[in-house]
Amino acid sequence: MDIPRIFTISESEHRIHNPFTPEKYATLGAALRLKAGSRILDLGSGSGEMLCTWARDYGITGTGVDMSALFSEQAKCRAQELGVADKVSFIHDDAAGYVVWEKVEVAACVGASWIGGGVKGTIDLLAKSLVPDGIILIGEPYWRQFPPTEEIAKACLATSISDFLILPDFVASFGEYGYDVVEMVLADQDGWDRYIAARWLTMRRWLDANPDDEMTPEIRTTLNEEPKRYVAYMREYLGWGVFALMAR
Ligand code: SAH
């Protein structure tokens, strides 16, 4: 069980696999007024940067679940490196349907809402692990500019325009699901660059080291095409943010 290799190749050097920077995660952690000992569940925890830095900075405890063996291993190494291996644990598993019996104060899915079959399904899944007054964190793209054509949506790696909403509609949708939006930290274009542009050097070095791998043609094509497509479309049209929700 693992995620497609294109991600573990192109994002092997990433600590954060989304357009958030370390500063944005620190801002979000401070905004949530986390208390020492608070429990956090993180579905799709990637390389564990959110849980590890919040354990170091705020004394939270946490569990991350991620389907990538590489990222889960990197998360454990990061916990050791930051001296928080006694506070956070990382499980290599499919997070679909993952519910904990000891309920948590914060249940998060930051950039992996397909785990619950979309935003609404992921909120419903996270709610099953949450104490009654707990906080749900959802990290998700939205349209920064509404794409004028389906082709432009696809160039942003969406399957269609309807994959995402513009920010006012997205924020309103949480109310329709019965949740208050109680905090929000949005990524910016510099953060998008850290996420996407950081893939290019990783891919270039991987290509130099792996000229005969079965993935070499795909990585070569991606490196040829991604920079131009990214600056023309994704960087302009796609926003991204983490939204903190409490049930009404
Ligand atoms: N929240 C992390 C990672 C976001 S990227 C961060 O902020 O850096 C999306 C993550 O979801 C990847 O790490 C990928 O391995 C993981 N993932 C994809 N499908 C999954 C599934 N079904 N169950 C658990 N994790 C999954």
Side-chain angles (χ1 to χ4, degrees), residues 3 17-18 25 44 46 66-68 71 93-95 110-112 114-115:
I3 60 171
H17 305 267
N18 66 52
Y25 265 132
D66 197 282
M67 208 159 85
S68 162
F71 298 165
D93 204 352
D94 186 343
V110 179
W114 56 86
I115 285 172

Side-chain angles (χ1 to χ4, degrees), residues 125-226:
L125 172 62
L126 294 171
K128 292 180 184 164
S129 294
L130 199 66
V131 298
D133 58 348
I135 290 180
I136 287 177
L137 297 181
I138 293 284
E140 182 76 3
Y142 57 87
W143 293 122
R144 192 172 158 263
Q145 292 181 53
F146 195 73
T149 65
E150 286 291 342
E151 285 64 40
I152 289 180
K154 289 192 173 72
C156 297
L157 304 184
T159 59
S160 100
I161 294 175
S162 63
D163 283 6
F164 307 121
L165 299 170
I166 58 167
L167 187 56
D169 291 349
F170 192 41
V171 165
S173 72
F174 296 120
E176 287 155 22
Y177 302 152
Y179 283 85
D180 289 325
V181 178
V182 296
E183 255 298 355
M184 171 186 96
V185 177
L186 301 182
D188 57 24
Q189 286 167 303
D190 291 337
W192 271 111
D193 296 346
R194 286 311 79 233
Y195 177 39
I196 300 295
R199 293 158 48 99
W200 306 336
L201 181 58
T202 306
M203 286 193 276
R204 173 53 204 261
R205 294 219 164 121
W206 185 90
L207 282 170
D208 291 347
N210 298 277
D212 302 318
D213 192 280
E214 61 176 9
M215 287 293 291
T216 301
E218 183 179 341
I219 298 286
R220 175 32 74 195
T221 305
T222 305
L223 183 56
N224 288 356
E225 293 173 357
E226 191 172 271

